[in-house]
Amino acid sequence: MTMTDVNIDEILAPMPDKVKKNRRKHIVKKDASAGCRPQIEANTRTVPGIITQRGCSYAGCKGVVVGPIKDMLTITHGPIGCAYYSWGTRRNKARTDDSTPPDQIYSTMCFSTDMQESDIVFGGEKKLAKMIDEVVEIFHPRAINICATCPIGLIGDDLGAVSKAAEERHGIPIIHYNCEGYKGVSQSAGHHIANNQIMERMIGTGTEKVDGKYVLNFLGEYNIGGDAWEIERVLEEIGYTVGSTLTGDSAYATIKNMHTAHLNLVQCHRSINYIAEMMETKYGIPWLKVNFIGIDATIDTLRDIAQCFGDKELIARTELVIERELAAVTPEIERYQKICRGKTAFIFVGGSRSHHYQFLLRNLGMEVMVAGYEFAHRDDYEGREVIPTIKSDADSKNIPELHVKPDTEMYRPPHLRLKMSQEKYDELVASGVLNEYRGMYPDMVNGGIMIDDANHFETEELVKVFKPDLIFTGIKDKYVTHKMGLPSKQIHSYDYSGPYTCFRGAVTFAKDVAHSLSTPAWKMITPPWEQSITEQR
Amino acid sequence: MLECTPKEPLPKDARTTGSINPIKTCQPVGALYAALGIHGCLPHSHGSQGCCSYHRMALSRHFHEPAMASTSSFTEGASVFGGAANLKTSIKNVFAIYNPEIIAVHTTCLSETIGDDMPTIIKQSEIPEGKYVIHANTPSYHGSHVTGFSNMCKGIVSYLAESDGNPKKERANIFPGFTNPGDMREIKRIVTEMGVPSIMYPDTTGVMDSPVRKTYEMFPRGGATIEAIQDSGNSKMTLSLGAWSSDEAAATLQSKCGVPGVPLRIPIGVKATDDLIMAVKKGFGVDVPEPLEVERGQVIDTLIDIHYQYEGKTVAVFGDPDIVIPLVEFLITMGMIPKYVLTGTPGGKFEKIVNGMLEEAGIEGSRVKAEGDLFDLHQWIKEESVDLLIGNAHGKYIARAEDIPLVRVGFPVFDRAVHPLMPIVGYRGCLRLIEMISNVLLDRRDRDCLDEDYELIL
Ligand code: SF4
Ligand code: SF4
């Protein structure tokens, strides 16, 4: 079967009619000859009973965005489970630095109000207030996050009031997030809620200006396996200063001063585009969608950043670093390409990785046949131009929108931030470099499939059709894939490897992928007594 | 690592609320695990999908296996108007798309707080002929993952077990408690070795330790069959292993079908294994076969041979009560000193039982705590350290911070493979525990000693 022959309706045939009708809208085939981008349904409810890979709003807020802020103590207000599962499961590496001594790092710890039955009946506000008092006395944190879980919303605890009162008692910021798991339809709601609070309560509250000729913030980079550190190394060698990362190895102490940067880089568009946009409006900081996954993608990104400042010296230095890094990794990449070339893959993960990794795989000579996001919106697939056409439904209306205005004191027009003329800046925007994201569709292989909120059934069927050589996924699908006789790599946690970013990261990734494909055990699944005579050596 | 933990003991009453670095998690994950021990079962989480995602993730990370489950996918509407519609739709879709034999529904704290009436909703659902839907209430603000496991076991009994009124069959039911498939396999082997037929449930062997076969089977070949579970009402007795995880189910089976339950510990260590074997011997009038005698003798032999490698060492033990209690007993048998013993699961009798064992052994100055957490433990260790930690993988942070070796036992052990396949129960389990404990202590000694003290023969 050639790729373009896939019959999606046939795949979905065994589903009940209502489910079929629903799921059909979430699956799109790339047809390069069609000219226009087909619409995909995304960010809508999962069908009850479907085995989905999605998580919840709390997971997006605490687990992804605010939990990794290393010098903030994050209390999960709820029964024990939610805090427990988001404890140490995302590999957001963090280390001590000038602004964060070791005794101020809390991100490896788990704090839960551990609500009991009586707290549910009588309300948990007192318990939360008491726990805040106790942790302040024991740990003296700089700031505290309070994250809500499902039952908290139901019993109506007023997190805002508790936090505000505690803030007055202790004189430190205590920031609350109404990120109950049932809000929205996936983690995405939690990202948004977290973004709003970070914007309102953290960014812009600091008074220290970050030193450096070109100061960048790095948004939507979670430092899994040390990704952010590798990117920072390269950026710093070129001559940039990274003010703060949101939120991998990031600290309250530096997030406060993010408004002083010249340019925001956005890696995971889905989880953080809210902040990028709001910072643009409020402080005039332009943003650039970047991708440091893949050698060519990294090179393009580095050139884009240099172009944003237009400084000749910077451009020259960028080329120098590219050349040097490239020379160092090319022979190794070529070695692994021999194993990887011609192989195909599926990739199903959260917000932007399903798109980003396609570039890296192409560097290895691999092609992604089926790709999907767990919790994306249409713009992640179709590009930002569709944002005005996305209708908000009841589930998304529950997530408050934050409306920001230019800050009277701190706003500086974007072209001044970038130290260039208005005309030059306008040109950059018009050419789609700044403040733009084209989504996954343009980069899909022709005949490939984009699938939103892919479920277990569809994955199995698509495997039968495409017979990929490798699946990139999260832990819940990893072992399913292995049982199918296919290698899999976790693209959430990297199977404890990494970093995968920039040039050196590409080598690490190439090695991991090559090893996954070539592990001798794959050839040993059938025991000798079940092999036909010809198979036996 | 954990540098923010204060070095000084905390002032009294400085910490009374909540949990810091817990030694427990919530009920549904235990219920989900128990449900996977039925052949052809799809566990279903009734609540918002985040919980289900977390529980599957935790199980997959521990077992390195798929942990399938569907969810009612609540959004705000269901949270306000109740989840009946979501559950009914789920049941319909699950049978249509995945075709399991049985769906085992557990609640989450969300559906519990709304107060969804599970039996009624299930009664009103469309269930295909010959298929089953069972449920357990698993409110997360009560008990722990062990409670959830117990509740699902009880649910399995109340929905499925039946008595046909005939005289009971010469057969044992085994309720294995919240243990790994490797342990369950070993327990079954011991009882089989004694010549007694048995029905084990939940039984996650073949499900959470299934082999690779090149085709994925959503419902792997293992697990207790529904027929076997139904027939368990006709067995002569139930070996109920672990008070926290199995006793309620055994009591339910006793009152429902008249099968007497024999409360036992999970057979970790010599004494608890002896007790299991004696119970089978007495219950069925069988002799203890030679191979088991040999195994036991090997354990005692080993204990005598190498006791000096661990005897007198102090150890901190934490984890689930049904694991920790017999483990502490075995450590005492080994001549070690359980200095700190903690569980996160509530229940006052934990402290009573452990303190009783320590007292009997004449061990003084130990601290025992139910509903404790790892922050408590870390504080105690800062006051006075120990030679060894035994517990789940979360202990690795204290292990590094305080430079103490860790032997991984219990749930969860995320960072080691093979672990769930290797038993710690029975006499063979004793050998494995001795091996793990003495090896880390010897490695430690080799690592720390001076060159001139580095020796080959001890
Ligand atoms: S909401 Fe309740 S059931 Fe769900 S993970 Fe949290 S504690 Fe567990
Ligand atoms: S990194 Fe992926 S895409 Fe972005 S929030 Fe997610 S899981 Fe993330």
Side-chain angles (χ1 to χ4, degrees), chain A residues 53-67:
Chain A
Q53 309 304 348
R54 278 176 164 178
C56 64
S57 169
Y58 167 82
C61 178
K62 176 348 176 125
V64 175
V65 184
V66 307

Side-chain angles (χ1 to χ4, degrees), chain A residues 58 78-83 85 149-151 181, chain B residues 25-29 45 48 50-52 54-55 106-110 138-141:
Chain A
Y58 167 82
I80 193 71
C82 318
Y85 302 110
T149 65
C150 288
Chain B
T25 181
C26 64
Q27 288 206 39
V29 78
S45 164
S48 49
C51 311
C52 185
Y54 274 146
H55 304 145
H106 58 262
T107 54
T108 64
C109 46
L110 179 52
T138 48
S140 314
Y141 36 79

Side-chain angles (χ1 to χ4, degrees), chain B residues 36-334:
Chain B
L36 288 168
I38 309 175
H39 176 74
C41 178
L42 190 72
H44 180 87
S45 164
H46 184 51
S48 49
Q49 65 213 10
C51 311
C52 185
S53 173
Y54 274 146
H55 304 145
R56 293 179 59 205
M57 176 191 93
L59 293 174
S60 275
R61 287 205 164 115
H62 173 83
F63 293 102
H64 294 231
E65 287 290 320
M68 277 299 164
S70 50
T71 157
S72 294
S73 289
F74 278 29
T75 54
E76 195 132 9
S79 311
V80 176
F81 302 115
N86 285 52
L87 185 53
K88 288 178 199 166
T89 313
S90 297
I91 290 175
K92 197 167 152 229
N93 287 339
V94 165
F95 280 122
I97 302 171
Y98 307 108
N99 195 27
E101 296 302 311
I102 179 169
I103 300 174
V105 185
H106 58 262
T107 54
T108 64
C109 46
L110 179 52
S111 51
E112 279 293 326
T113 310
I114 314 171
D116 275 349
D117 178 2
M118 304 307 287
T120 309
I121 304 174
I122 291 174
K123 258 187 221 119
Q124 293 166 347
S125 299
E126 278 174 52
I127 303 171
E129 188 66 29
K131 305 268 177 173
Y132 299 85
V133 178
I134 66 173
H135 95 280
N137 287 93
T138 48
S140 314
Y141 36 79
H142 182 83
S144 75
H145 56 292
V146 182
T147 323
F149 181 89
S150 162
N151 284 342
M152 182 52 82
C153 292
K154 196 172 137 195
I156 298 172
V157 171
S158 15
Y159 270 93
L160 298 177
E162 283 161 15
S163 158
D164 58 15
N166 294 323
K168 300 296 184 197
K169 298 180 186 166
E170 282 296 310
R171 185 180 60 202
N173 297 326
I174 308 172
F175 291 176
F178 199 139
T179 51
N180 283 327
D183 296 315
M184 295 184 185
R185 233 175 247 285
E186 180 64 5
I187 294 165
K188 275 197 283 191
R189 185 191 67 89
I190 291 171
V191 176
T192 309
E193 193 84 60
M194 295 185 73
V196 175
S198 62
I199 295 172
M200 175 181 276
Y201 67 92
D203 176 4
T204 59
T205 67
V207 182
M208 297 312 278
D209 63 354
S210 72
V212 80
R213 288 198 160 97
K214 224 164 197 168
T215 42
Y216 169 69
E217 291 167 12
M218 186 156 177
F219 304 107
R221 299 178 199 175
T225 61
I226 294 172
E227 299 79 61
I229 296 171
Q230 286 169 332
D231 198 29
S232 69
N234 299 313
S235 296
K236 188 171 168 187
M237 66 155 69
T238 301
L239 304 165
S240 163
L241 309 184
W244 274 260
S245 30
S246 301
D247 278 6
E248 280 218 33
T252 309
L253 187 59
Q254 180 154 6
S255 63
K256 188 178 175 195
C257 302
V259 182
V262 183
L264 292 159
R265 282 159 300 168
I266 289 174
I268 295 170
V270 179
K271 287 185 187 168
T273 306
D274 287 351
D275 286 354
L276 170 66
I277 287 173
M278 287 305 286
V280 177
K281 180 177 156 52
K282 256 198 255 154
F284 294 90
V286 291
D287 288 334
V288 179
E290 164 93 6
L292 289 179
E293 247 178 66
V294 170
E295 282 170 27
R296 187 178 190 280
Q298 287 170 331
V299 176
I300 308 301
D301 189 69
T302 309
L303 287 171
I304 292 167
D305 288 350
I306 61 161
H307 66 94
Y308 57 88
Q309 289 177 4
Y310 47 72
E311 191 149 356
K313 301 277 189 204
T314 54
V315 46
V317 194
F318 62 93
D320 298 343
D322 288 336
I323 303 285
V324 169
I325 288 170
L327 187 59
V328 165
E329 186 181 63
F330 185 49
L331 294 169
I332 294 172
T333 309
M334 292 171 72

Side-chain angles (χ1 to χ4, degrees), chain A residues 16 19 45-56 58-59 79-81 84-87 89 102-103 105-106 108-117 120 127 130-131 134 137-139 150-151 154-155 182 184-186 395 398 456-457 460 475-476 479-480 482-485 525, chain B residues 2-4 6 10-11 14-22 24-26 29 42 48-50 53-58 60-61 64-66 68-73 75-76 79 86 90 93-94 96-98 109-110 113-114 140-142 210-212 214-216 218 375 394 397 412:
Chain A
V19 182
R45 294 179 188 185
T46 302
V47 180
I50 281 270
I51 300 181
T52 170
Q53 309 304 348
R54 278 176 164 178
C56 64
Y58 167 82
I80 193 71
Y84 180 85
Y85 302 110
S86 55
W87 178 25
T89 42
D103 53 352
I105 291 187
Y106 311 102
T108 51
M109 296 183 78
C110 172
F111 298 86
S112 165
T113 51
D114 192 3
M115 294 279 279
Q116 298 299 307
E117 193 140 19
I120 298 286
K127 190 169 195 183
K130 189 140 184 287
M131 186 158 187
E134 289 178 4
E137 194 188 328
I138 299 170
F139 298 98
C150 288
L154 288 185
I155 63 174
Y182 56 74
V185 297
S186 68
D395 294 312
N398 293 328
H456 174 74
F457 178 85
E460 250 195 284
I475 186 79
K476 295 190 289 286
Y479 302 108
V480 173
H482 286 180
K483 300 283 187 225
M484 290 173 179
I525 293 177
Chain B
L2 299 184
E3 265 97 348
C4 56
L10 298 180
R15 212 197 132 218
T16 57
T17 316
S19 184
I20 305 178
N21 301 347
K24 65 166 178 183
T25 181
C26 64
V29 78
L42 190 72
S48 49
Q49 65 213 10
S53 173
Y54 274 146
H55 304 145
R56 293 179 59 205
M57 176 191 93
S60 275
R61 287 205 164 115
H64 294 231
E65 287 290 320
M68 277 299 164
S70 50
T71 157
S72 294
S73 289
T75 54
E76 195 132 9
S79 311
N86 285 52
S90 297
N93 287 339
V94 165
I97 302 171
Y98 307 108
C109 46
L110 179 52
T113 310
I114 314 171
S140 314
Y141 36 79
H142 182 83
S210 72
V212 80
K214 224 164 197 168
T215 42
Y216 169 69
M218 186 156 177
F375 184 74
H394 290 293
Y397 287 84

